[in-house]
Amino acid sequence: MKRLQVGVIGIGFIGRQQLEAIQRIAYAEVVAIADQNFEAARELAAQFGIPACYRTGEELIADPNVEVVHNCTPNALHYSLNKLAILSGKHVYSEKPLAIRGEHAAELVTLAREHDVANGVNFNYRQNIALLEMRERVRTGAAGRVFHVYGQYLQDWLASENNYDWRVDPEMGGPSRALADIGSHCFDSAQFVMGQRIKRVYARLITAYDTRIKSGSQETFALGSAEGERVRVTNEDAGFVLAEFEDGTPASFFISQVCNGRKNDQRIQISAQEYCMEWCQERAGEIQIGYQNRGNEVVLTGTNGMISDYARGRASLPSGHAEGWAYPHKYAISCFYDSIRDGSYRQNNLVYTKFFDGGQIMKIVDACLLSQQENRWVEIDLSEP
Protein backbone atom coordinates (compact mmCIF):
# COMPACT_ATOMS: atom_id res chain seq x y z
CA MET A 1 0.00 0.00 0.00
CA LYS A 2 1.40 3.38 -0.99
CA ARG A 3 2.19 6.05 1.57
CA LEU A 4 -0.40 8.75 2.28
CA GLN A 5 0.55 12.07 0.70
CA VAL A 6 0.13 14.85 3.28
CA GLY A 7 0.14 18.66 3.20
CA VAL A 8 0.47 20.89 6.28
CA ILE A 9 -0.90 24.45 6.26
CA GLY A 10 0.62 26.69 8.93
CA ILE A 11 4.06 26.09 10.45
CA GLY A 12 3.69 27.90 13.76
CA PHE A 13 3.97 26.11 17.11
CA ILE A 14 1.35 23.43 16.52
CA GLY A 15 2.09 23.05 12.81
CA ARG A 16 5.68 22.10 13.59
CA GLN A 17 4.51 19.65 16.26
CA GLN A 18 2.21 17.93 13.78
CA LEU A 19 4.88 17.95 11.09
CA GLU A 20 7.31 16.15 13.38
CA ALA A 21 4.60 13.67 14.44
CA ILE A 22 3.79 12.84 10.81
CA GLN A 23 7.48 12.28 10.08
CA ARG A 24 7.40 9.45 12.66
CA ILE A 25 4.57 7.60 10.88
CA ALA A 26 6.11 5.20 8.36
CA TYR A 27 3.16 5.06 5.95
CA ALA A 28 2.75 8.84 5.56
CA GLU A 29 4.84 11.39 3.68
CA VAL A 30 4.65 15.19 3.90
CA VAL A 31 4.79 16.36 0.29
CA ALA A 32 3.86 20.04 0.78
CA ILE A 33 3.70 22.79 3.38
CA ALA A 34 2.27 26.32 3.22
CA ASP A 35 2.68 29.42 5.33
CA GLN A 36 2.33 33.16 4.77
CA ASN A 37 5.91 33.45 6.03
CA PHE A 38 7.19 31.90 2.82
CA GLU A 39 10.89 32.21 3.66
CA ALA A 40 10.42 30.32 6.93
CA ALA A 41 8.37 27.71 5.09
CA ARG A 42 11.10 27.25 2.48
CA GLU A 43 13.74 26.78 5.17
CA LEU A 44 11.60 24.21 6.94
CA ALA A 45 10.85 22.40 3.68
CA ALA A 46 14.56 22.16 2.98
CA GLN A 47 15.25 20.92 6.50
CA PHE A 48 12.65 18.14 6.26
CA GLY A 49 13.15 17.33 2.58
CA ILE A 50 9.62 18.40 1.62
CA PRO A 51 9.35 18.86 -2.17
CA ALA A 52 6.61 21.54 -2.42
CA CYS A 53 6.22 24.84 -0.57
CA TYR A 54 3.38 27.37 -0.93
CA ARG A 55 2.44 30.81 0.38
CA THR A 56 -1.26 30.03 0.91
CA GLY A 57 -3.43 27.17 2.04
CA GLU A 58 -5.47 27.49 -1.12
CA GLU A 59 -2.40 26.74 -3.24
CA LEU A 60 -1.55 23.70 -1.16
CA ILE A 61 -5.10 22.31 -1.34
CA ALA A 62 -4.98 22.66 -5.14
CA ASP A 63 -1.85 20.48 -5.31
CA PRO A 64 -3.01 17.17 -6.91
CA ASN A 65 -0.35 15.24 -4.97
CA VAL A 66 -1.88 16.15 -1.59
CA GLU A 67 -4.40 13.59 -0.31
CA VAL A 68 -4.62 14.68 3.34
CA VAL A 69 -4.66 18.29 4.55
CA HIS A 70 -3.57 19.30 8.05
CA ASN A 71 -5.04 22.73 8.87
CA CYS A 72 -2.78 24.30 11.52
CA THR A 73 -3.70 27.92 10.86
CA PRO A 74 -5.17 30.47 13.33
CA ASN A 75 -8.78 29.83 14.33
CA ALA A 76 -10.36 32.33 11.94
CA LEU A 77 -9.06 30.37 8.94
CA HIS A 78 -10.24 26.94 10.02
CA TYR A 79 -13.71 27.12 8.48
CA SER A 80 -12.76 28.43 5.03
CA LEU A 81 -9.77 26.14 4.51
CA ASN A 82 -11.52 23.07 5.96
CA LYS A 83 -14.45 23.71 3.63
CA LEU A 84 -12.23 24.19 0.58
CA ALA A 85 -10.34 20.98 1.34
CA ILE A 86 -13.58 19.02 1.69
CA LEU A 87 -14.97 20.40 -1.56
CA SER A 88 -11.66 19.46 -3.22
CA GLY A 89 -12.09 15.86 -2.07
CA LYS A 90 -9.22 15.96 0.45
CA HIS A 91 -9.25 14.29 3.84
CA VAL A 92 -8.94 16.95 6.57
CA TYR A 93 -7.27 16.96 9.99
CA SER A 94 -8.04 20.34 11.56
CA GLU A 95 -6.67 22.13 14.56
CA LYS A 96 -9.31 23.00 17.13
CA PRO A 97 -11.63 24.75 17.28
CA LEU A 98 -13.29 23.31 14.17
CA ALA A 99 -14.61 26.83 13.45
CA ILE A 100 -15.20 29.96 15.52
CA ARG A 101 -18.95 29.98 14.79
CA GLY A 102 -21.23 27.12 15.69
CA GLU A 103 -23.18 27.22 12.44
CA HIS A 104 -19.95 26.95 10.46
CA ALA A 105 -18.90 23.90 12.47
CA ALA A 106 -22.28 22.27 11.77
CA GLU A 107 -21.88 22.99 8.05
CA LEU A 108 -18.46 21.32 8.00
CA VAL A 109 -19.90 18.21 9.67
CA THR A 110 -22.56 17.96 6.95
CA LEU A 111 -20.15 18.66 4.08
CA ALA A 112 -17.62 16.06 5.25
CA ARG A 113 -20.36 13.43 5.37
CA GLU A 114 -21.79 14.39 1.98
CA HIS A 115 -18.39 14.38 0.27
CA ASP A 116 -17.24 11.21 2.04
CA VAL A 117 -13.91 12.51 3.33
CA ALA A 118 -12.17 11.49 6.51
CA ASN A 119 -12.26 14.26 9.09
CA GLY A 120 -10.56 14.79 12.42
CA VAL A 121 -9.95 17.53 14.98
CA ASN A 122 -6.71 17.63 16.93
CA PHE A 123 -7.83 16.93 20.49
CA ASN A 124 -4.61 15.08 21.21
CA TYR A 125 -4.82 14.72 24.99
CA ARG A 126 -7.45 11.98 24.83
CA GLN A 127 -4.76 9.76 23.28
CA ASN A 128 -2.73 9.56 26.50
CA ILE A 129 -2.52 5.94 27.67
CA ALA A 130 -3.66 6.99 31.15
CA LEU A 131 -6.90 8.45 29.79
CA LEU A 132 -7.47 5.35 27.68
CA GLU A 133 -7.11 3.28 30.87
CA MET A 134 -9.47 5.52 32.83
CA ARG A 135 -12.02 5.29 30.02
CA GLU A 136 -11.82 1.50 30.07
CA ARG A 137 -12.31 1.37 33.86
CA VAL A 138 -15.41 3.56 33.56
CA ARG A 139 -16.73 1.60 30.56
CA THR A 140 -16.35 -1.81 32.21
CA GLY A 141 -17.68 -0.65 35.57
CA ALA A 142 -14.42 -1.50 37.35
CA ALA A 143 -14.41 1.92 39.03
CA GLY A 144 -18.06 1.59 40.05
CA ARG A 145 -20.72 4.23 39.68
CA VAL A 146 -19.27 7.68 38.97
CA PHE A 147 -20.33 10.27 41.58
CA HIS A 148 -18.82 13.39 40.03
CA VAL A 149 -16.15 14.61 37.60
CA TYR A 150 -13.61 17.43 37.94
CA GLY A 151 -11.45 18.89 35.21
CA GLN A 152 -8.95 21.72 35.17
CA TYR A 153 -6.55 23.25 32.71
CA LEU A 154 -4.30 25.95 34.13
CA GLN A 155 -1.56 27.94 32.36
CA ASP A 156 0.29 31.20 33.06
CA TRP A 157 1.56 32.29 29.66
CA LEU A 158 -0.98 35.16 29.52
CA ALA A 159 -0.72 36.14 33.18
CA SER A 160 0.82 39.59 32.51
CA GLU A 161 -0.83 42.44 30.63
CA ASN A 162 2.11 42.58 28.22
CA ASN A 163 1.55 38.95 27.22
CA TYR A 164 -0.24 38.99 23.87
CA ASP A 165 -1.15 36.31 21.33
CA TRP A 166 -3.26 36.37 18.17
CA ARG A 167 -5.98 34.53 20.13
CA VAL A 168 -6.65 37.74 22.07
CA ASP A 169 -8.00 39.29 18.85
CA PRO A 170 -11.59 38.01 18.47
CA GLU A 171 -11.34 38.41 14.69
CA MET A 172 -8.54 35.83 14.66
CA GLY A 173 -9.21 33.73 17.76
CA GLY A 174 -12.98 34.00 18.08
CA PRO A 175 -15.30 35.27 20.84
CA SER A 176 -13.95 32.73 23.37
CA ARG A 177 -10.27 32.32 24.21
CA ALA A 178 -9.46 30.31 27.36
CA LEU A 179 -12.45 27.99 27.00
CA ALA A 180 -12.11 27.52 23.23
CA ASP A 181 -8.33 27.11 23.42
CA ILE A 182 -7.59 24.92 26.46
CA GLY A 183 -11.03 24.41 28.01
CA SER A 184 -12.06 22.55 24.86
CA HIS A 185 -9.31 19.99 25.54
CA CYS A 186 -10.59 19.56 29.07
CA PHE A 187 -14.19 19.06 27.91
CA ASP A 188 -13.10 16.56 25.26
CA SER A 189 -10.91 14.58 27.66
CA ALA A 190 -13.69 14.34 30.26
CA GLN A 191 -16.29 13.32 27.67
CA PHE A 192 -13.89 10.71 26.25
CA VAL A 193 -13.22 9.14 29.64
CA MET A 194 -16.90 9.16 30.58
CA GLY A 195 -18.02 7.81 27.20
CA GLN A 196 -20.83 10.34 27.04
CA ARG A 197 -21.43 14.00 26.28
CA ILE A 198 -22.04 17.10 28.38
CA LYS A 199 -25.69 18.11 28.10
CA ARG A 200 -25.87 21.44 29.99
CA VAL A 201 -23.59 24.06 31.54
CA TYR A 202 -23.51 27.05 33.84
CA ALA A 203 -20.44 29.28 33.43
CA ARG A 204 -18.81 32.29 35.06
CA LEU A 205 -16.05 33.82 32.94
CA ILE A 206 -13.25 36.22 33.91
CA THR A 207 -11.28 38.74 31.86
CA ALA A 208 -8.24 39.62 33.96
CA TYR A 209 -7.16 42.61 31.85
CA ASP A 210 -9.46 45.02 30.04
CA THR A 211 -6.49 45.90 27.80
CA ARG A 212 -3.22 44.22 26.85
CA ILE A 213 0.02 45.49 25.30
CA LYS A 214 0.44 44.19 21.76
CA SER A 215 4.09 44.12 20.73
CA GLY A 216 6.80 41.95 19.27
CA SER A 217 6.07 38.34 18.44
CA GLN A 218 2.47 37.16 18.65
CA GLU A 219 3.47 33.50 18.59
CA THR A 220 2.06 31.21 21.26
CA PHE A 221 4.12 31.29 24.50
CA ALA A 222 6.27 34.21 23.26
CA LEU A 223 7.58 36.66 25.88
CA GLY A 224 5.89 40.06 25.92
CA SER A 225 7.26 43.58 25.96
CA ALA A 226 6.40 46.65 28.03
CA GLU A 227 6.38 48.77 24.87
CA GLY A 228 3.66 48.57 22.27
CA GLU A 229 0.08 49.27 21.32
CA ARG A 230 -2.53 48.93 24.05
CA VAL A 231 -5.55 47.00 22.73
CA ARG A 232 -8.92 46.21 24.26
CA VAL A 233 -9.63 42.64 25.40
CA THR A 234 -13.12 41.17 24.98
CA ASN A 235 -12.60 37.41 25.36
CA GLU A 236 -12.03 35.56 28.63
CA ASP A 237 -8.82 34.68 30.47
CA ALA A 238 -10.43 32.15 32.81
CA GLY A 239 -13.71 30.44 33.57
CA PHE A 240 -15.55 28.28 36.08
CA VAL A 241 -18.01 25.84 34.52
CA LEU A 242 -20.59 23.61 36.17
CA ALA A 243 -21.87 20.86 33.91
CA GLU A 244 -23.96 17.72 33.67
CA PHE A 245 -23.37 14.64 31.52
CA GLU A 246 -26.10 12.84 29.62
CA ASP A 247 -26.80 10.46 32.52
CA GLY A 248 -27.00 13.32 35.02
CA THR A 249 -23.48 12.92 36.47
CA PRO A 250 -22.38 16.37 37.70
CA ALA A 251 -19.05 17.93 36.75
CA SER A 252 -17.06 21.09 37.33
CA PHE A 253 -14.22 22.64 35.34
CA PHE A 254 -11.70 25.36 36.18
CA ILE A 255 -9.93 26.87 33.17
CA SER A 256 -7.32 29.64 33.33
CA GLN A 257 -4.50 31.10 31.25
CA VAL A 258 -3.58 33.59 33.98
CA CYS A 259 -2.66 31.21 36.82
CA ASN A 260 0.96 32.03 37.73
CA GLY A 261 3.26 29.06 38.09
CA ARG A 262 1.03 26.63 36.19
CA LYS A 263 2.58 25.83 32.82
CA ASN A 264 0.36 23.17 31.24
CA ASP A 265 -1.62 21.72 34.13
CA GLN A 266 -4.52 19.75 32.75
CA ARG A 267 -6.17 17.28 35.14
CA ILE A 268 -9.14 14.96 34.94
CA GLN A 269 -10.52 13.47 38.15
CA ILE A 270 -13.19 10.77 38.22
CA SER A 271 -14.70 10.24 41.68
CA ALA A 272 -16.36 6.82 41.62
CA GLN A 273 -17.76 4.27 44.04
CA GLU A 274 -14.72 1.98 44.18
CA TYR A 275 -11.98 4.61 44.01
CA CYS A 276 -11.05 8.05 42.70
CA MET A 277 -8.88 8.30 39.56
CA GLU A 278 -6.88 11.41 38.69
CA TRP A 279 -4.64 12.10 35.69
CA CYS A 280 -2.32 15.11 35.45
CA GLN A 281 -0.91 15.99 32.02
CA GLU A 282 2.39 17.09 33.54
CA ARG A 283 2.80 13.52 34.89
CA ALA A 284 1.24 11.92 31.84
CA GLY A 285 2.40 8.36 32.50
CA GLU A 286 0.66 8.02 35.87
CA ILE A 287 -2.84 7.57 37.24
CA GLN A 288 -3.37 8.49 40.89
CA ILE A 289 -5.81 6.04 42.51
CA GLY A 290 -7.37 7.04 45.84
CA TYR A 291 -9.14 4.69 48.26
CA GLN A 292 -11.11 5.23 51.44
CA ASN A 293 -9.87 2.35 53.59
CA ARG A 294 -6.53 1.36 52.11
CA GLY A 295 -3.37 3.07 50.92
CA ASN A 296 -3.52 5.13 47.77
CA GLU A 297 -1.52 4.00 44.75
CA VAL A 298 0.08 5.21 41.57
CA VAL A 299 -0.57 3.16 38.43
CA LEU A 300 2.15 3.48 35.78
CA THR A 301 1.19 3.19 32.15
CA GLY A 302 3.32 1.46 29.51
CA THR A 303 3.66 -1.79 27.62
CA ASN A 304 4.38 -3.59 30.92
CA GLY A 305 2.10 -1.41 33.07
CA MET A 306 -0.55 -2.85 35.40
CA ILE A 307 -3.31 -1.64 33.14
CA SER A 308 -5.97 -3.14 30.88
CA ASP A 309 -5.16 -4.92 27.63
CA TYR A 310 -7.13 -2.14 25.87
CA ALA A 311 -4.77 0.59 27.08
CA ARG A 312 -1.58 -1.50 27.10
CA GLY A 313 -2.10 -2.43 23.47
CA ARG A 314 -1.81 1.24 22.54
CA ALA A 315 1.35 1.94 24.53
CA SER A 316 4.67 2.10 22.69
CA LEU A 317 7.19 2.18 25.57
CA PRO A 318 7.56 0.29 28.86
CA SER A 319 6.66 1.90 32.19
CA GLY A 320 9.08 4.59 33.32
CA HIS A 321 9.94 5.60 29.76
CA ALA A 322 7.95 8.80 29.49
CA GLU A 323 6.16 9.10 26.16
CA GLY A 324 5.86 12.84 26.69
CA TRP A 325 3.56 15.56 25.38
CA ALA A 326 4.33 14.88 21.71
CA TYR A 327 3.37 11.19 21.71
CA PRO A 328 -0.43 11.70 21.72
CA HIS A 329 -0.09 13.81 18.56
CA LYS A 330 1.52 10.91 16.75
CA TYR A 331 -1.04 8.44 18.05
CA ALA A 332 -4.03 10.64 17.20
CA ILE A 333 -2.76 11.29 13.68
CA SER A 334 -1.89 7.64 13.09
CA CYS A 335 -5.40 6.60 14.21
CA PHE A 336 -6.80 9.12 11.73
CA TYR A 337 -4.57 7.79 8.94
CA ASP A 338 -5.48 4.18 9.79
CA SER A 339 -9.16 5.04 9.36
CA ILE A 340 -8.42 6.41 5.89
CA ARG A 341 -6.52 3.29 4.87
CA ASP A 342 -9.18 0.82 6.10
CA GLY A 343 -12.26 2.97 5.41
CA SER A 344 -13.40 3.05 9.05
CA TYR A 345 -13.52 6.87 9.06
CA ARG A 346 -17.19 6.55 8.10
CA GLN A 347 -17.94 5.06 11.52
CA ASN A 348 -18.79 6.96 14.72
CA ASN A 349 -17.22 6.69 18.18
CA LEU A 350 -13.67 6.38 16.90
CA VAL A 351 -10.73 6.89 19.24
CA TYR A 352 -9.87 10.20 17.58
CA THR A 353 -12.13 13.27 17.51
CA LYS A 354 -14.21 13.61 14.34
CA PHE A 355 -15.78 16.83 13.05
CA PHE A 356 -19.07 15.91 14.75
CA ASP A 357 -17.29 15.61 18.12
CA GLY A 358 -15.46 18.90 17.48
CA GLY A 359 -18.79 20.52 16.63
CA GLN A 360 -20.21 19.32 19.95
CA ILE A 361 -17.28 20.93 21.77
CA MET A 362 -18.10 24.18 19.96
CA LYS A 363 -21.67 23.88 21.25
CA ILE A 364 -20.33 23.60 24.82
CA VAL A 365 -18.17 26.71 24.39
CA ASP A 366 -21.05 28.67 22.84
CA ALA A 367 -23.33 27.55 25.67
CA CYS A 368 -20.79 28.80 28.23
CA LEU A 369 -20.70 32.21 26.54
CA LEU A 370 -24.51 32.38 26.58
CA SER A 371 -24.60 31.27 30.21
CA GLN A 372 -22.21 34.07 31.17
CA GLN A 373 -24.30 36.58 29.24
CA GLU A 374 -27.68 35.51 30.64
CA ASN A 375 -26.58 34.12 34.03
CA ARG A 376 -28.40 30.79 33.67
CA TRP A 377 -28.00 27.10 32.88
CA VAL A 378 -27.91 26.47 29.12
CA GLU A 379 -28.96 23.20 27.50
CA ILE A 380 -26.79 21.80 24.67
CA ASP A 381 -28.27 20.37 21.50
CA LEU A 382 -26.83 16.85 21.18
CA SER A 383 -28.32 16.08 17.78
CA GLU A 384 -26.18 15.65 14.66
CA PRO A 385 -26.59 18.15 11.78
Side-chain angles (χ1 to χ4, degrees):
M1 185 178 292
K2 74 180 185 69
R3 302 170 79 187
L4 289 174
Q5 308 293 289
V6 180
V8 178
I9 307 173
I11 59 165
F13 173 75
I14 200 63
R16 289 172 182 257
Q17 298 300 319
Q18 290 199 30
L19 179 60
E20 291 180 0
I22 299 164
Q23 295 282 334
R24 290 184 284 127
I25 300 173
Y27 50 85
E29 178 184 8
V30 178
V31 297
I33 60 173
D35 196 275
Q36 63 181 359
N37 187 340
F38 188 62
E39 289 305 314
R42 284 206 306 181
E43 290 179 10
L44 195 65
Q47 177 184 344
F48 281 88
I50 299 168
C53 184
Y54 299 103
R55 296 182 185 275
T56 70
E58 290 83 357
E59 291 175 308
L60 182 143
I61 292 169
D63 186 332
N65 293 319
V66 173
E67 300 173 274
V68 184
V69 174
H70 283 244
N71 186 356
C72 302
T73 60
N75 300 355
L77 299 176
H78 290 179
Y79 166 69
S80 60
L81 290 175
N82 289 342
K83 181 176 180 178
L84 179 61
I86 292 170
L87 296 178
S88 301
K90 315 281 187 176
H91 304 299
V92 189
Y93 192 78
S94 174
E95 258 307 309
K96 51 81 191 164
L98 180 56
I100 60 176
R101 295 175 59 183
E103 61 268 31
H104 285 167
E107 180 186 352
L108 291 173
V109 173
T110 300
L111 285 173
R113 181 174 60 246
E114 291 176 346
H115 290 264
D116 190 30
V117 297
N119 53 91
V121 186
N122 188 35
F123 285 104
N124 54 293
Y125 289 107
R126 64 155 65 187
Q127 310 299 339
N128 280 274
I129 304 303
L131 288 185
L132 292 169
E133 173 68 8
M134 290 170 66
R135 174 185 170 89
E136 184 70 356
R137 293 188 181 206
V138 170
R139 186 192 70 81
T140 61
R145 180 166 61 90
V146 177
F147 297 143
H148 52 80
V149 175
Y150 172 71
Q152 73 176 44
Y153 203 149
L154 309 179
Q155 296 178 330
D156 69 355
W157 65 288
L158 291 171
S160 299
E161 68 172 353
N162 63 345
N163 295 139
Y164 187 90
D165 175 77
W166 56 261
R167 293 174 178 84
V168 176
D169 180 357
E171 294 297 318
M172 291 297 293
S176 171
R177 177 161 34 92
L179 264 59
D181 183 23
I182 58 175
S184 59
H185 280 298
C186 211
F187 301 144
D188 182 72
S189 296
Q191 289 187 139
F192 180 69
V193 170
M194 287 292 288
Q196 55 181 302
R197 295 168 295 179
I198 292 169
K199 70 176 182 180
R200 69 178 191 139
V201 294
Y202 179 85
R204 296 284 66 155
L205 308 182
I206 298 167
T207 300
Y209 298 103
D210 293 333
T211 61
R212 286 182 178 270
I213 299 172
K214 177 181 177 181
S215 63
S217 172
Q218 295 175 38
E219 288 285 338
T220 305
F221 303 118
L223 297 177
S225 169
E227 302 294 330
E229 174 191 4
R230 188 170 289 275
V231 297
R232 183 162 180 77
V233 178
T234 59
N235 45 29
E236 80 284 349
D237 291 299
F240 301 87
V241 181
L242 297 178
E244 281 187 11
F245 285 92
E246 291 175 271
D247 68 353
T249 301
S252 62
F253 300 92
F254 175 31
I255 311 299
S256 177
Q257 293 179 317
V258 292
C259 189
N260 277 310
R262 303 299 183 95
K263 303 306 178 186
N264 200 40
D265 186 4
Q266 183 187 180
R267 299 172 190 240
I268 300 295
Q269 183 183 94
I270 307 294
S271 296
Q273 194 169 9
E274 297 299 322
Y275 43 72
C276 177
M277 300 183 288
E278 181 179 273
W279 170 77
C280 175
Q281 191 281 143
E282 293 180 340
R283 298 191 304 276
E286 303 176 2
I287 307 172
Q288 305 287 328
I289 308 289
Y291 298 94
Q292 180 185 30
N293 295 315
R294 54 179 277 198
N296 296 343
E297 63 186 27
V298 176
V299 173
L300 300 180
T301 64
T303 55
N304 61 339
M306 301 303 292
I307 55 178
S308 65
D309 291 341
Y310 170 76
R312 190 185 304 111
R314 288 158 173 78
S316 61
L317 295 171
S319 301
H321 296 76
E323 292 180 323
W325 180 84
Y327 168 78
H329 284 282
K330 177 194 172 185
Y331 184 61
I333 294 169
S334 64
C335 288
F336 177 66
Y337 290 171
D338 287 344
S339 77
I340 295 172
R341 299 173 86 199
D342 64 20
S344 63
Y345 67 84
R346 300 178 180 91
Q347 301 173 12
N348 294 322
N349 300 316
L350 297 172
V351 71
Y352 66 85
T353 311
K354 294 184 66 176
F355 275 16
F356 171 69
D357 307 302
Q360 289 297 131
I361 296 292
M362 282 299 305
K363 291 181 182 180
I364 296 172
V365 173
D366 287 347
C368 288
L369 294 178
L370 182 60
S371 176
Q372 168 70 15
Q373 179 182 343
E374 299 186 358
N375 190 26
R376 64 176 178 89
W377 283 89
V378 176
E379 302 291 325
I380 297 166
D381 176 15
L382 301 182
S383 63
E384 184 168 353

